Amino acid sequence: MSATATQICQQFETLSDDERIEVLHRLWQSFPNDWEEGDAGLALAESRDAELSAGTKKLVCEDEFQRQMKSFKASLG
């Protein structure tokens, strides 16, 4: 990653959640309109954001996600 991109990422981490969402939305909008699955991906992101904002879903850390995936795979046999 370039020094500029690294600096942008570091600055992004200092933003509030609302500011991060706005930045992500603007970045998403910067992709070409004909980008395959762009509208579906944006709709999914907005839906997930609404679930998080409403408290009906919560984020989990990567370690927890990996634990859940291992448990799920083990249950499949």
Side-chain angles (χ1 to χ4, degrees):
M1 185 175 349
S2 71
T4 302
T6 299
Q7 185 177 26
I8 291 169
C9 289
Q10 289 170 342
Q11 290 175 346
F12 178 81
E13 292 173 1
T14 67
L15 300 174
S16 70
D17 290 345
D18 288 340
E19 290 172 320
R20 286 183 191 195
I21 290 168
E22 179 63 27
V23 169
L24 290 173
H25 180 73
R26 290 180 67 182
L27 286 172
W28 187 266
Q29 292 298 318
S30 72
F31 284 96
N33 289 335
D34 62 347
W35 190 44
E36 191 174 320
E37 298 185 26
D39 291 337
L42 181 57
L44 177 61
E46 289 173 343
S47 171
R48 295 286 168 83
D49 176 54
E51 291 173 334
L52 290 170
S53 296
T56 58
K57 298 283 181 170
K58 66 176 187 167
L59 297 175
V60 297
C61 67
E62 182 180 356
D63 292 340
E64 175 63 17
F65 174 77
Q66 294 296 334
R67 187 193 65 71
Q68 290 176 8
M69 289 303 296
K70 286 179 185 177
S71 176
F72 175 72
K73 288 177 182 178
S75 73
L76 295 176

